[in-house]
Amino acid sequence: KRSKSSARRLYCRRIRQAEKNYICRIEHLAACFGISEQAVKQLKDRRETLKKLKVWLSHFRGKVLYENATLEEALRESAAKAGSECAPFFLSVAEELEERNGMRLSQVWEKQCECLRKGTALSAEELGEINRFGAGLGELDVKVQERAIIRYDEELTAALMGVTGELEKKERLYRSLGVLAGCFIIIVLW
């Protein structure tokens, strides 16, 4: 009778241990898949930010070229179109321009670009393009500003197409690699 009950306890312990191992393996698989989903999310966030910047640029262009608004007014009024990620950047540039402090627009823009680098999904190259765009603004000649806006619009379009293509290619790859990495860890820990 005792050997039967001890065998039953041993059997139950083994079953519980197997269940724990099974749950642990599922957790590893889910963690690897979650990491791959985070990489996909970063690409999607980058694409959405570029889309919002494109909308902002068209609104900004209308304010500057057709409504003859000052740069401060155009930046402040069009900031809402840039989305939550970039709107504080444009608002802070507008505020600092209103204060003037003896700085040119390109200096204010560059200073604020440093703050934008910390909290955005944009790549370093895209942030550099934003910085270069600001250097072309604030000139006395409206034609120079218009050319800068058109050039930045073309660069935004190219960046948006590049990110969309990259997302199409890498989304499936990242998900597959996440599942494969999870399976690899399960096999190694088996």
Side-chain angles (χ1 to χ4, degrees), residues 55-79 81 142 145 149:
V55 169
W56 168 83
L57 187 64
S58 67
H59 194 264
F60 178 77
R61 180 183 191 175
K63 292 283 182 191
V64 170
L65 300 178
Y66 305 116
E67 293 182 21
N68 293 323
T70 64
L71 289 175
E72 295 90 350
E73 292 171 347
L75 285 167
R76 192 179 335 94
E77 291 174 13
S78 61
K81 305 288 183 187
V142 176
Q145 290 184 16
I149 291 171

Side-chain angles (χ1 to χ4, degrees), residues 56-57 60 64-65 71 75 89 93 97 104-110 113 127-153 155:
W56 168 83
L57 187 64
F60 178 77
V64 170
L65 300 178
L71 289 175
L75 285 167
F89 166 73
V93 169
L97 281 176
R104 294 181 49 215
L105 171 64
S106 59
Q107 294 169 323
V108 172
W109 192 277
E110 189 173 334
C113 270
L127 288 168
E129 289 300 325
I130 290 174
N131 202 2
R132 282 188 285 284
F133 169 65
L137 294 178
E139 301 296 326
L140 295 175
D141 188 11
V142 176
K143 292 287 183 192
V144 173
Q145 290 184 16
E146 185 176 10
R147 281 195 299 269
I149 291 171
I150 290 169
R151 184 180 60 83
Y152 186 56
D153 187 37
E155 289 167 357

Side-chain angles (χ1 to χ4, degrees), residues 37-52:
E37 283 299 307
Q38 182 62 30
V40 170
K41 184 185 178 311
Q42 286 175 342
L43 279 174
K44 286 182 178 180
D45 289 348
R46 190 169 143 211
R47 181 182 62 187
E48 290 306 308
T49 301
L50 287 171
K51 283 181 181 179
K52 289 177 183 173

Side-chain angles (χ1 to χ4, degrees), residues 113-132:
C113 270
E114 292 304 316
C115 298
L116 182 62
R117 291 182 194 281
K118 297 171 188 162
T120 185
L122 298 174
S123 70
E125 182 180 321
E126 293 156 352
L127 288 168
E129 289 300 325
I130 290 174
N131 202 2
R132 282 188 285 284

